[in-house]
Amino acid sequence: MGYVASVVLGLASGMAISGAVFAFIAAIGVVPRMAKRTNTQKHIMIYEEAIIWGGIFGAATMVFNLFLPLHTVIIIILSLCTGIFFGVLAMCLAETLDVLPIFSKRASVKNGISYFVAAIALGKMTGSLLYFIISGFFKEGGQ
């Protein structure tokens, strides 16, 4: 009976957390902003489905400890997509909180804010590439 309660509690907790993450992504408007900036508003449903299925697949790979033998080029492409997603998420959050306008005003930056945003996105991408490609960059189990 204890195992059943643990499974039910774990599933309920996972659903609550994933629901909160997806609500957070929806609240800061990542998908509509990306669609608007890329002029692909007609594909918003595909973007939302990709985020949902990516979350489900990511959780499944962690829970069931799945290993996918992927070629290095595919890993680089997936890392690039991950970096882009987290860069966009961070920028949408920063834009929502008006961090960039306040920063540019206080630092007296009139031009070049786009380079600042690109630098943050490239930094996130580089971190993802280092994490996934370089063997031994991280240790399993936090040891």
Side-chain angles (χ1 to χ4, degrees), residues 8 39 51 53 115 127 135 138:
V8 170
N39 293 324
I51 291 171
W53 284 108
Y115 296 116
S135 177
F138 69 98

Side-chain angles (χ1 to χ4, degrees), residues 118-139:
I120 292 173
L122 287 172
K124 296 297 278 181
M125 180 190 74
T126 303
S128 294
L129 289 173
L130 289 173
Y131 182 81
F132 289 111
I133 292 176
I134 296 177
S135 177
F137 190 75
F138 69 98
K139 294 182 180 180

Side-chain angles (χ1 to χ4, degrees), residues 14-66:
M15 284 188 232
I17 291 171
S18 64
V21 168
F22 292 134
F24 174 71
I25 290 172
I28 64 173
V30 173
V31 176
R33 286 184 188 179
M34 279 297 292
K36 183 178 178 184
R37 303 239 172 152
T38 59
N39 293 324
T40 55
Q41 291 93 338
K42 61 184 175 182
H43 301 295
I44 286 181
M45 292 295 288
I46 294 172
Y47 293 149
E48 291 172 349
E49 287 288 326
I51 291 171
I52 290 169
W53 284 108
I56 291 170
F57 182 71
T61 58
M62 289 182 194
V63 169
F64 299 113
N65 199 20
L66 297 177

